[in-house]
Amino acid sequence: MAQILDGKAVAAALTERLKEDVQRLKDRGVSPCLAIVRMGERGDDLAYERGATKRAAAVGLEVKQFALPAEAPQDELLEVIARINADASIHGCLIFMPLPKHIDEAAVRAALGEAFGSVRTGRASALLLDRIKVDYY
């Protein structure tokens, strides 16, 4: 027999677990932080960003937002990614896709992957993301 899930109850339970995970990280001296990178002002991206920022705040996760104009050159985006990679206080990064057509998404993924496959992010991210079964690179 099928079981009807109460989405609100599941979300509340997940939020509580994530709050606990974030607090455990903070107790270990790690203040988890997510970078959000967006190019342009697409309505769906803006709505998702607001929701992600609100959910992060609800569990005590810091968010650093990076917004570029849609017409910004690829070099400018790669400079932002380099700054994120160099910032040891950032433990994960969300880049809104698809990127504008003049941006090489493979180059962006490669640039981000250089740092976010590393140990500094692996430990903090794994502790946080493993709880909710999120695949990450």
Side-chain angles (χ1 to χ4, degrees):
M1 175 174 271
Q3 179 182 3
I4 297 175
L5 295 177
D6 178 353
K8 190 179 263 189
V10 171
L14 182 58
T15 297
E16 285 306 311
R17 284 188 206 151
L18 288 172
K19 280 182 185 177
E20 293 167 8
D21 288 347
V22 168
Q23 187 57 54
R24 275 194 286 276
L25 286 169
K26 288 180 178 181
D27 292 346
R28 294 179 185 171
V30 177
S31 183
C33 178
L34 174 68
I36 296 178
V37 180
R38 176 180 40 81
M39 290 191 76
E41 301 283 329
R42 289 178 30 162
D44 55 341
D45 285 349
L46 292 170
Y48 190 90
E49 184 175 0
R50 281 189 302 272
T53 302
K54 183 178 176 181
R55 286 187 300 278
V59 299
L61 188 67
E62 180 185 356
V63 174
K64 293 183 181 180
Q65 296 166 283
F66 301 85
L68 298 170
E71 64 278 357
Q74 181 167 311
D75 287 347
E76 189 174 341
L77 176 58
L78 293 176
E79 287 172 19
V80 168
I81 292 171
R83 285 198 325 252
I84 291 168
N85 285 344
D87 187 341
S89 73
I90 296 176
H91 302 96
C93 183
L94 170 63
I95 299 178
F96 285 96
M97 301 279 184
L99 292 167
K101 294 196 183 300
H102 67 281
I103 304 291
D104 178 356
E105 288 187 8
V108 171
R109 285 189 183 104
L112 185 63
E114 291 171 8
F116 283 88
S118 72
V119 173
R120 80 168 166 95
T121 60
R123 178 142 173 80
S125 298
L127 289 171
L128 184 60
L129 299 177
D130 190 50
R131 171 73 87 175
I132 57 173
K133 309 290 189 262
V134 172
D135 291 327
Y136 51 92
Y137 295 84

